[in-house]
């Protein structure tokens, strides 16, 4: 753990420079707006440890898969989110010395990300080798008001220096990914121009995405306007160069406005005019007004999604940090986009879509954004149905069975470890569960008719073919799988997978009935377009009734998989801490043989299907699995918060809450430098609202059963539920419910139901 970030309710603050943690701070200070984003790099050059990263939604490269031992069915490529044009760069030379914070002597330094306004700031004073004293005050944002615009306000004071200061403001596509094979570069030049400011356009190899960026500048030196001196053109690179004659003391003020347009949204021939229009318009409007507009949009976002915790600043900073990054990663307007586990903060995981979206992110967007946002996330998978069917066909499945990819950017599988690609099939279950969750939350059963059933049929068909009947057990079994706990591979009868498979079959049958009842006129067309006849459900029902679930009667628990109890049962607390995290200290085979669980697995099932089990069953399983869990997936602690709270295990719930909410802020897993864990941030939200708030949906009503950590005075959050907007305030003894909408609503609190008229507030003792 590293705790060098100052605790503050709204800001991420690094109050003096920690070069040894620079890549971590860069990740933490990433900014974005759903279409573009990048790490909290310095604008000027930096020769120390850094990952210069700028990322653009939807733009990827299918990098040739490199594996030693090829297996039939492996994907040809691993999709990489591309590190793209560096638009923030300001290369500064003072005399003949490059301004580089790695080489300069740093007298003072402060970097902060204001999460309330989405503004990244830095101020520092440094002394160069030529004795010049340079003070930098920089600010930057990716506009939420115009998501094709980035703005920089850079002020530089130079003392003790007489001579030439050169500022080279760049648009640089000569960039490669940190993780590219053989240092390959993925961008090729299309055109650059210096007619209106500067413009640079490049195209990706293979995928042929094009990106065009235009920058315009306003610069003053001691109040007088500075005009551009020259431009530099190199391959894939253009810069506007400004020369300043400094006589002992200079104050330089630079605004850089960058328009960013991609062929994801425009015809390539339009990119130049559109990007230039953005940058010119921005320089006309001016920095302050643009910042006000951007801040106003953040205000709106916070009005819908803020969570306030009184009495615990670390917890408060944690949850806002998570909400902030979720909101700037995915805005939900485009059903072709999804949420990569690292968002715009790094390259690991390729920027692709995982089951994280369905299992973790959808609940956050359901409660905090317009219904269309979650619907777009569901439609993303519906749009990929054909490819999921082809993927299953490659593996020998037939008749419309679909296996959705574990990792994808365009519907094709692009993960290439057999134990995950072929075996971590539980992801299909989460995709079905998300449809159920969406309909349970929104009441939008129409979605089943238009899209949902198509996906459910294909998933049900997959499970019906994936099981086999074991004569030895007289049950259906599922062999050779990897459950959510990736520290076990190729196991038989993973309880979670067997359970969710059977549930998918049941839910599909129930969904058919719902559509038959509500939309009788549509059902035959839905059957026909899916080539479905009801005879198929005979086998499904047999599987449902005869599925095998590994259990241990004496312990009263579900077994994560067959023979789980053969393992050495030393619990995590008895391990010497020097072994943790296991994935950085142990060989893979040692991990696989051990009892240690990477992330919630049986407990994930108990979380999804809480209503199917009595509280004692949940308790026994929690008490068995939790001490064996190392939480080396960021997705793990949030599930433990929710279950611990349900079981009134307050200390555990709070410990796990800090772990999920401050995972990146405190670098719990020693990997924040690679980028942030964006998808698990939605889990942090779940751990507050579903954990401490005890929110559920029961019988078409919103339900709360709150239980706050002892040190919290107050917790408040807003949620959208169907057509209502609610503010919930919870103290140690009361829950205050405010209905901010125009119609009444009935809310369930533990075993009572409370009616609230429009705009009414009621307080209930807990
Ligand atoms: C987890 C997976 C998850 C992936 C992306 C892995 O470490 O084990 O469950 O989907 O990260 O977040």
């Amino acid at each position: 753990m590293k705790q060098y970030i100052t605790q503050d309710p709204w800001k991420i603050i690094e109050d003096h420079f920690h070069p040894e943690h620079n890549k971590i701070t860069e990740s933490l200070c990433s900014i974005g707006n759903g279409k573009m984003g990048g790490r909290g790099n310095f604008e000027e050059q930096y020769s120390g440890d850094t990952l210069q990263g700028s990322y653009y939604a939807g733009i990827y490269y299918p990098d040739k898969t490199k594996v030693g031992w090829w297996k039939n069915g492996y994907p040809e490529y691993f999709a990489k989110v591309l590190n793209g044009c560096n638009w923030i760069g300001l290369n500064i030379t003072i005399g003949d010395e490059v301004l580089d914070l790695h080489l300069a002597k740093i007298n003072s330094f402060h970097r902060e990300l204001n999460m309330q306004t989405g503004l990244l700031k830095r101020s520092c004073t440094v002394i160069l080798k030529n004795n010049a004293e340079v003070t930098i005050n920089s600010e930057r944002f990716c506009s939420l008001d115009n998501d094709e615009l980035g703005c920089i306000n850079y002020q530089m004071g130079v003392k003790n220096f007489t001579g030439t200061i050169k500022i080279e403001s760049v648009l640089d596509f000569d960039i490669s990914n940190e993780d590219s094979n053989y240092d390959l570069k993925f961008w090729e030049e299309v055109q650059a121009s210096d007619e209106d400011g500067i413009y640079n356009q490049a195209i990706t190899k293979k995928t042929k995405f094009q990106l065009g960026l235009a920058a315009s500048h306003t610069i003053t030196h001691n109040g007088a306007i500075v005009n551009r001196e020259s431009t530099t053109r190199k391959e894939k690179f253009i810069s506007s160069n400004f020369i300043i004659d400094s006589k002992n003391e200079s104050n330089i003020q630079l605004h850089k406005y960058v328009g960013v347009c991609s062929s994801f949204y425009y015809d390539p021939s339009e990119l130049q005019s559109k990007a230039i229009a953005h940058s010119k318009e921005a320089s006309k409007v001016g920095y302050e007004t643009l910042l006000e507009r951007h801040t106003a949009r953040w205000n709106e976002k916070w009005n819908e999604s803020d969570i306030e915790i009184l009495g615990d600043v670390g917890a408060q900073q944690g949850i806002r940090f998570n909400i902030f990054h979720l909101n700037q990663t995915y805005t939900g307007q485009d059903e072709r986009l999804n949420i990569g586990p690292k968002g715009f903060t790094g390259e690991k995981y390729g920027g692709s879509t995982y089951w994280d979206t369905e299992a973790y992110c959808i609940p956050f967007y359901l409660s905090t954004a317009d219904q269309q946002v979650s619907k777009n996330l569901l439609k993303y998978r519906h749009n990929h149905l054909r490819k999921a069917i082809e993927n299953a066909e490659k593996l020998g499945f037939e008749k419309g069975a679909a296996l959705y990819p574990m990792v994808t950017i365009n519907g094709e599988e692009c993960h290439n470890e057999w134990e995950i690609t072929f075996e971590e099939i539980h992801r299909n279950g989460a995709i079905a569960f998300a449809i159920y969750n969406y309909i349970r939350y929104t009441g939008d059963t129409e979605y089943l008719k238009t899209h949902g059933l198509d996906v459910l049929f294909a998933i049900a068909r997959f499970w019906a073919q994936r099981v086999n009947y074991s004569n030895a057990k007289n049950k259906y079994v599922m062999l050779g799988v990897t459950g959510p706990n990736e520290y076990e591979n190729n196991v038989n009868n993973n309880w979670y997978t067997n359970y969710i498979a059977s549930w998918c079959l049941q839910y599909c049958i129930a969904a058919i009935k719902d559509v038959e009842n509500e939309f009788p006129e549509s059902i035959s067309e839905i059957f026909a377009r899916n080539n479905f006849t009801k005879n198929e459900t005979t086998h499904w029902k047999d599987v449902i009734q005869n599925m095998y679930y590994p259990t241990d009667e004496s312990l009263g628990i579900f077994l994560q998989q067959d023979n789980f109890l053969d393992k050495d049962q030393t619990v995590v607390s008895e391990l010497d801490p020097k072994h943790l995290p296991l994935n950085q200290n142990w060989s893979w085979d040692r991990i696989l043989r051990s009892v240690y669980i990477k992330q919630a697995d049986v407990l994930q099932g108990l979380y999804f299907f809480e209503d199917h089990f009595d509280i004692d069953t949940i308790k026994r399983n929690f008490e068995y699995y939790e001490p064996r869990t190392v939480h080396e997936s960021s997705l793990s602690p949030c599930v433990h918060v929710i279950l611990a709270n349900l079981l009134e295990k307050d200390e555990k719930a709070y410990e796990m809450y800090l772990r999920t909410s401050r995972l990146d802020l405190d670098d719990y897993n020693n990997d924040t430098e690679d980028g942030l864990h964006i998808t698990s941030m939605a889990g942090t939200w779940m751990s507050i609202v579903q954990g401490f708030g005890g929110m559920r949906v029961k019988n078409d009503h919103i339900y709360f059963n709150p239980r706050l950590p002892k040190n919290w005075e107050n917790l408040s959050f807003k949620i959208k539920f169907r057509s209502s907007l609610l503010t919930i305030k919870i103290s140690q003894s009361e829950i205050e419910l405010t209905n901010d909408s125009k119609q009444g609503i009935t809310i369930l609190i533990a075993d009572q139901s409370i009616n609230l008229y429009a705009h009414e507030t009621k307080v209930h003792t807990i």
Side-chain angles (χ1 to χ4, degrees):
M1 259 169 88
K2 301 175 189 76
Q3 291 182 314
Y4 67 97
I5 295 293
T6 308
Q7 296 205 348
D8 180 280
W10 277 111
K11 290 176 180 168
I12 305 305
I13 300 170
E14 183 193 23
D15 66 359
H16 61 271
F17 190 31
H18 295 78
E20 72 287 11
H21 300 326
N22 186 44
K23 281 170 85 178
I24 298 178
T25 323
E26 286 177 346
S27 299
L28 298 176
C29 291
S30 299
I31 51 172
N33 61 14
K35 256 194 202 164
M36 62 192 270
R39 294 167 54 83
N41 306 118
F42 302 146
E43 284 84 5
E44 63 277 5
Q45 284 151 299
Y46 182 69
S47 57
D49 198 19
T50 179
L51 165 58
Q52 175 78 45
S54 317
Y55 307 99
Y56 301 88
I59 295 193
Y60 69 93
Y61 178 82
D63 205 10
K64 183 86 187 145
T65 290
K66 283 204 307 187
V67 278
W69 216 291
W70 193 267
K71 309 252 176 336
N72 264 348
Y74 265 179
E76 292 291 319
Y77 66 89
F78 182 74
K80 285 196 158 76
V81 61
L82 282 194
N83 200 342
C85 185
N86 168 10
W87 62 271
I88 65 166
L90 299 173
N91 300 339
I92 299 171
T93 327
I94 297 181
D96 51 10
E97 200 173 332
V98 172
L99 175 59
D100 174 344
L101 265 58
H102 184 59
L103 304 176
K105 177 172 174 282
I106 297 182
N107 273 2
S108 67
F109 181 95
H110 181 96
R111 171 161 46 178
E112 76 174 46
L113 172 63
N114 186 330
M115 301 183 284
Q116 197 165 19
T117 56
L119 185 67
L120 176 61
K121 279 186 172 185
R122 177 169 53 107
S123 40
C124 60
T125 299
V126 301
I127 309 287
L128 303 193
K129 299 211 169 56
N130 60 18
N131 281 331
E133 181 186 312
V134 183
T135 300
I136 301 166
N137 282 295
S138 75
E139 290 184 1
R140 175 165 99 230
F141 62 93
C142 292
S143 173
L144 211 57
D145 183 56
N146 171 1
D147 57 10
E148 293 178 334
L149 182 69
C151 300
I152 299 174
N153 176 8
Y154 194 88
Q155 294 172 16
M156 186 168 69
V158 182
K159 284 187 190 159
N160 300 334
F161 175 76
T162 297
T164 305
I165 299 174
K166 183 173 173 194
I167 303 178
E168 193 186 58
S169 171
V170 313
L171 292 177
D172 183 7
F173 271 106
D174 195 19
I175 300 285
S176 81
N177 272 47
E178 194 181 41
D179 62 347
S180 76
N181 292 334
Y182 316 109
D183 295 328
L184 275 181
K185 292 196 171 170
F186 303 116
W187 293 96
E188 282 171 350
E189 183 171 294
V190 175
Q191 55 156 323
S193 107
D194 58 7
E195 271 161 39
D196 271 308
I198 44 171
Y199 177 73
N200 201 353
Q201 183 172 335
I203 185 167
T204 57
K205 292 180 184 162
K206 287 194 193 169
T207 35
K208 306 294 174 205
F209 289 112
Q210 295 205 32
L211 195 60
L213 287 90
S216 58
H217 304 82
T218 52
I219 303 199
T220 57
H221 173 220
N222 295 340
I225 291 176
V226 179
N227 290 316
R228 176 164 79 191
E229 177 80 13
S230 62
T231 48
T232 305
R233 290 273 316 259
K234 290 187 273 184
E235 206 202 339
K236 295 185 269 187
F237 174 102
I238 187 162
S239 67
S240 261
N241 306 328
F242 302 88
I243 302 285
I244 286 146
D245 238 345
S246 176
K247 294 201 174 53
N248 197 34
E249 186 157 349
S250 284
N251 283 306
I252 298 161
Q253 156 83 65
L254 178 151
H255 288 122
K256 181 172 183 180
Y257 305 99
V258 183
V260 181
C261 293
S262 96
S263 61
F264 208 68
Y265 297 97
Y266 301 102
D267 187 83
S269 63
E270 293 177 295
L271 296 178
Q272 182 168 10
S273 58
K274 298 278 181 201
I276 290 179
H278 283 314
S279 65
K280 277 173 73 176
E281 169 66 13
S283 68
K284 222 190 293 160
V285 172
Y287 181 83
E288 291 309 324
T289 308
L290 294 167
L291 178 58
E292 269 167 33
R293 290 179 188 169
H294 167 72
T295 308
R297 288 306 180 101
W298 268 111
N299 245 330
E300 288 166 17
K301 289 257 178 224
W302 284 115
N303 277 341
E304 290 180 339
S305 56
D306 189 23
I307 292 184
E308 201 179 11
I309 297 169
L310 294 185
D312 188 343
V313 77
Q316 173 70 81
Q317 185 183 38
I319 184 60
R320 288 209 173 113
F321 176 72
N322 288 254
I323 295 171
F324 173 77
H325 280 290
L326 283 165
N327 278 333
Q328 65 171 357
T329 302
Y330 183 74
T331 53
Q333 288 144 19
D334 187 337
E335 65 188 56
R336 294 169 305 165
L337 297 178
N338 210 288
I339 306 145
K342 300 264 169 237
F344 298 117
T345 71
E347 295 164 18
K348 221 175 159 193
Y349 296 104
S352 300
T353 305
Y354 289 66
W355 72 302
D356 308 25
T357 294
E358 285 77 17
Y360 298 87
C361 299
I362 283 192
F364 169 77
Y365 291 107
L366 270 175
S367 290
T368 61
D370 192 85
Q371 181 174 319
Q372 188 61 36
V373 173
S374 329
K375 193 168 174 178
N376 280 347
L377 288 171
L378 297 188
K379 281 164 84 185
Y380 176 91
R381 296 293 193 175
H382 186 266
N383 293 340
H384 291 171
L385 179 56
R386 176 92 305 271
K387 286 189 175 159
I389 292 173
E390 283 164 19
N391 186 39
E393 281 167 355
K394 271 197 235 157
L395 307 184
F397 295 86
E398 52 184 11
K399 295 189 183 127
L403 176 59
Y404 277 93
M406 183 67 190
V407 180
T408 190
I409 207 142
N410 62 7
E412 287 165 15
E413 175 63 83
C414 62
H415 192 90
N416 59 16
E417 288 168 282
W418 62 269
E419 56 277 35
I420 291 181
T421 309
F422 306 143
E423 297 205 331
E424 207 176 329
I425 51 180
H426 67 80
R427 68 237 189 194
N428 254 11
I431 291 167
F433 187 81
I435 297 174
Y436 162 77
N437 210 5
Y438 168 81
I439 291 168
R440 172 172 68 171
Y441 199 88
T442 61
D444 177 16
T445 40
E446 173 116 13
Y447 185 76
L448 277 180
K449 177 182 92 174
T450 54
H451 301 83
L453 262 189
D454 303 343
V455 171
L456 294 177
F457 282 140
I459 287 177
R461 285 167 166 162
F462 172 81
W463 291 124
Q465 293 171 40
R466 184 59 167 77
V467 294
N468 67 278
Y469 194 76
S470 154
N471 288 327
K473 287 196 162 68
N474 277 331
K475 290 276 180 194
Y476 284 96
V477 293
M478 199 153 3
L479 308 180
V481 305
T482 296
N485 169 24
E486 290 175 346
Y487 286 178
E488 294 281 356
N489 298 153
N490 200 31
V491 301
N492 295 335
N493 295 311
N494 170 257
W495 179 85
Y496 172 81
T497 309
N498 285 16
Y499 198 86
I500 205 161
S502 166
W503 174 84
C504 286
L505 295 168
Q506 293 171 54
Y507 178 51
C508 188
I509 293 171
I512 295 169
K513 274 207 192 105
D514 287 348
V515 175
E516 276 176 333
N517 289 340
E518 273 198 58
F519 310 102
E521 70 293 346
S522 306
I523 198 76
S524 49
E525 191 273 318
I526 299 173
F527 284 4
R529 77 176 182 237
N530 286 287
N531 220 353
F532 174 82
T533 58
K534 276 200 175 165
N535 299 341
E536 277 189 58
T537 61
T538 312
H539 173 54
W540 297 4
K541 287 177 185 158
D542 196 34
V543 175
I544 295 165
Q545 271 157 24
N546 295 297
M547 182 67 104
Y548 174 70
Y549 300 109
T551 44
D552 184 82
E553 297 301 339
S554 58
L555 293 171
I557 59 167
F558 304 119
L559 286 183
Q560 189 178 271
Q561 73 246 6
D562 284 354
N563 306 324
F564 190 74
L565 294 179
D566 289 345
K567 287 167 179 283
D568 179 288
Q569 295 289 327
T570 308
V571 295
V572 181
S573 58
E574 287 168 17
L575 263 184
D576 184 332
K578 73 172 194 238
H579 296 287
L580 298 172
L582 296 181
N583 61 15
Q584 292 173 19
N585 292 296
W586 280 15
S587 69
W588 187 239
D589 75 297
R590 189 172 178 195
I591 290 179
L592 291 178
R593 277 182 278 118
S594 80
V595 76
Y596 305 115
I597 298 170
K598 180 183 180 190
Q599 65 200 93
D601 192 302
V602 169
L603 298 185
Q604 180 75 36
L606 297 179
Y607 159 67
F608 272 168
F609 303 112
E610 180 189 307
D611 287 348
H612 300 190
F613 303 99
D614 62 58
I615 196 83
D616 290 337
T617 304
I618 297 176
K619 186 164 183 273
R620 281 193 306 275
N621 281 280
F622 185 90
E623 287 175 354
Y624 177 76
Y625 285 108
E626 201 285 324
R628 290 162 176 78
T629 306
V630 285
H631 305 291
E632 289 177 16
S633 161
S634 60
L635 301 175
S636 187
C638 59
V639 173
H640 288 71
V641 177
I642 298 168
L643 293 182
N645 223 48
L646 182 73
L647 298 170
E648 304 186 355
K649 292 179 182 291
D650 300 333
E651 272 175 37
K652 184 48 78 182
Y654 185 66
E655 176 200 331
M656 289 290 113
Y657 170 73
L658 287 184
R659 184 153 184 160
T660 179
S661 70
R662 300 194 58 88
L663 178 86
D664 289 319
L665 282 173
D666 295 340
D667 199 16
Y668 271 82
N669 286 351
N670 204 20
D671 59 1
T672 304
E673 63 176 34
D674 299 333
L676 305 177
H677 297 84
I678 299 292
T679 45
S680 83
M681 293 183 169
T684 302
W685 178 92
M686 280 165 28
S687 65
I688 292 222
V689 175
Q690 301 178 1
F692 302 124
M695 185 187 93
R696 307 283 187 271
V697 177
K698 295 200 182 218
N699 303 325
D700 276 343
H701 287 95
I702 196 84
Y703 163 100
F704 297 95
N705 190 7
R707 189 177 174 86
L708 289 198
K710 296 278 169 290
N711 54 334
W712 291 10
E713 286 159 32
N714 214 292
L715 163 70
S716 61
F717 55 86
K718 293 198 184 229
I719 55 153
K720 292 184 169 165
F721 179 69
R722 307 213 171 169
S723 43
S724 300
L725 178 64
L726 305 172
T727 304
I728 312 297
K729 290 191 178 159
I730 303 166
S731 68
Q732 294 291 342
S733 54
E734 287 174 347
I735 177 166
E736 181 189 290
L737 310 161
T738 302
N739 178 6
D740 297 313
S741 29
K742 291 191 188 111
Q743 66 287 319
I745 182 170
T746 301
I747 298 177
L748 309 178
I749 307 283
D751 50 5
Q752 296 199 31
S753 88
I754 294 177
N755 296 317
L756 280 184
Y757 293 116
H759 304 295
E760 194 186 10
T761 297
K762 274 190 182 159
V763 177
H764 181 83
T765 306
I766 48 177

